[in-house]
Amino acid sequence: MAEYKTRSGWRYPPGAKVDADGVNFSVFSRHATHVELRLYEGAESPEPFQVVRLDPERNRTFFFWHVYVEGLRPGVFYTWRVDGPENTEETGFRFDPEKDLLDPWARAVSDRTWDRKRASLPGDNGAFSLRAVVVEEDYDWEGDEPLRHRPEEVVIYELHVGGFTGHLSSRVINPGTFSGLVEKIPYLRELGITDVELMPVMAFDAQDVPETAASRGLCNYWGYSTHSFFSPHPGYCAACDEGALLREFRGMVKALHKAGIGVIQDVVFNHTAEAGADGPTIHFKGLANEVFYHLDPRDRRAYRDYTGCGNTLNCNHPLVSSFLISCLEYWVREMHVDGFRFDL
């Protein structure tokens, strides 16, 4: 692919924002000293076709690093690489210039090349990292709005998107997907429910299981190991081209609403798939470990594990709090979710 021209861009909004002339990228990393944006032609491309090295004088505003790529269109995959000060024991910093980092604000992600075990080891992870994809966010909702059912009238049906239609007995065209759930709407209506509560559908790490489970071919089935809070889970998408993930989730919500069924989302904001000190570096660890996680003040290499999952999200920090509130607003405003159930 041809190399694209770049200019400084702007810090808001975080993530990848498409307009008529290109794409603006922005990511938070307060103490970074070197940041580069890596652009990949496809989800499985072994090498980036362009690496954009950001200038601290031109491409940084406050604690956000940003760049505008002229002429770039949806369908391109991207990651970040970030370097900075060391001394993890005193600072909590875990910068690693060899790690491709996922954009925490990504609207759609791919896990086709993801290898959690290899990503947890030292060294270059570019060939087996998670990747974000630039997507066009426009969608025709056809007048759809959240249903706002009265609480005293709600009858909730909790379900697992992958399992609800996963078995052949469900007789759907696309089992285990958002589209498969749409096919079962007549059945849901027969039950007399008013709302479905979806077990975690934010993108999670299906490989986040103990070694003993992984050796038996088991996966993280339930999804309580989120890594991308703004993206639907790619494993629940029937046809994951560059824009299908958003379209399929939105199409499911719109179809359920037309049937009078609300959508409640089970969200996991207490920890992430990066686990503890031995876990992989996916995004937060390499961008601002000391901001996003509770660390032991006596030895900031160690994580305060109040969740039993290796780490605890530092929700009281203003940046993290803003991140989570923006996430909830996004799922309501842009994805038309009716409500939330908060894990722990």
Side-chain angles (χ1 to χ4, degrees):
M1 295 182 69
E3 187 163 295
Y4 292 87
K5 293 182 179 180
T6 66
R7 55 180 191 258
S8 61
W10 49 90
R11 69 182 178 95
Y12 187 82
K17 183 65 176 178
V18 180
D19 64 23
D21 300 317
V23 183
N24 187 78
F25 296 89
S26 175
V27 72
F28 173 88
S29 189
R30 177 174 183 175
H31 295 288
T33 57
H34 175 88
V35 174
E36 61 183 41
L37 173 69
R38 297 164 67 82
L39 301 174
Y40 292 87
E41 185 173 3
E44 300 175 73
S45 300
E47 297 289 339
F49 68 83
Q50 184 171 347
V51 176
V52 183
R53 292 173 175 83
L54 277 60
D55 181 348
E57 299 298 322
R58 189 172 72 99
N59 299 106
R60 182 175 64 183
T61 303
F62 302 114
F63 306 136
F64 284 85
W65 297 74
H66 46 79
V67 63
Y68 187 89
V69 183
E70 299 179 4
L72 196 68
R73 303 314 304 156
V76 170
F77 292 77
Y78 70 98
T79 60
W80 295 94
R81 284 201 177 185
V82 178
D83 197 8
E86 299 181 359
N87 193 356
T88 304
E89 181 177 359
E90 293 184 7
T91 64
F93 301 160
R94 287 184 178 268
F95 296 110
D96 187 341
E98 292 188 294
K99 298 298 185 188
D100 276 41
L101 304 177
L102 189 61
D103 181 357
W105 286 269
R107 298 321 197 223
V109 301
S110 170
D111 56 8
R112 293 187 207 174
T113 60
W114 174 238
D115 188 322
R116 182 180 178 87
K117 185 175 182 180
R118 295 175 67 186
S120 300
L121 300 173
D124 192 312
N125 74 335
F128 42 87
S129 68
L130 293 159
R131 294 177 184 175
V133 58
V134 178
V135 293
E136 179 58 69
E137 295 188 59
D138 289 343
Y139 182 75
D140 183 5
W141 281 102
E142 301 178 286
D144 177 79
E145 294 183 357
L147 297 182
R148 299 182 177 87
H149 288 145
R150 295 169 62 89
E152 64 271 22
E153 298 173 352
V154 166
V155 179
I156 299 174
Y157 186 97
E158 182 182 25
L159 63 86
H160 182 281
V161 171
F164 185 62
T165 61
H167 195 271
L168 292 176
S169 62
S170 66
R171 298 181 181 179
V172 300
I173 298 173
N174 298 297
T177 66
F178 300 124
S179 294
L181 178 54
V182 172
E183 295 181 65
K184 301 301 289 186
I185 286 177
Y187 168 74
L188 293 171
R189 293 191 67 182
E190 288 177 9
L191 294 178
I193 65 166
T194 64
D195 296 77
V196 291
E197 180 187 317
L198 306 181
M199 299 180 77
V201 293
M202 293 177 179
F204 62 85
D205 183 8
Q207 299 176 27
D208 186 6
V209 292
E211 183 63 34
T212 52
S215 65
R216 295 164 56 197
L218 300 178
C219 68
N220 177 357
Y221 177 79
W222 299 108
Y224 290 90
S225 189
T226 310
H227 56 69
S228 295
F229 295 92
F230 285 85
S231 170
H233 183 56
Y236 295 157
C237 184
C240 281
D241 60 41
E242 62 271 13
L245 192 51
L246 292 186
R247 290 196 303 270
E248 189 169 328
F249 183 90
R250 287 166 163 167
M252 175 197 69
V253 173
K254 184 164 64 174
L256 285 164
H257 282 177
K258 284 183 178 179
I261 299 173
V263 180
I264 299 170
Q265 195 172 347
D266 189 346
V267 298
V268 188
F269 285 153
N270 50 76
H271 69 280
T272 77
E274 291 189 293
D278 296 330
T281 296
I282 296 175
H283 41 40
F284 296 143
K285 280 184 177 178
L287 291 168
N289 185 60
E290 79 292 351
V291 168
F292 281 96
Y293 295 116
H294 282 286
L295 305 178
D296 189 330
R298 297 164 297 182
D299 181 355
R300 295 174 70 79
R301 293 172 298 185
Y303 293 84
R304 285 187 160 177
D305 183 13
Y306 302 124
T307 65
C309 299
N311 64 55
T312 306
L313 212 59
N314 185 19
C315 300
N316 290 332
H317 189 284
L319 186 281
V320 183
S321 176
S322 175
F323 174 86
L324 297 180
I325 292 171
S326 296
C327 175
L328 293 172
E329 291 175 342
Y330 173 78
W331 286 95
V332 172
R333 183 181 298 118
E334 303 298 334
M335 308 296 264
H336 286 208
V337 166
D338 297 273
F340 303 97
R341 177 264 176 184
F342 295 93
D343 184 55
L344 293 181

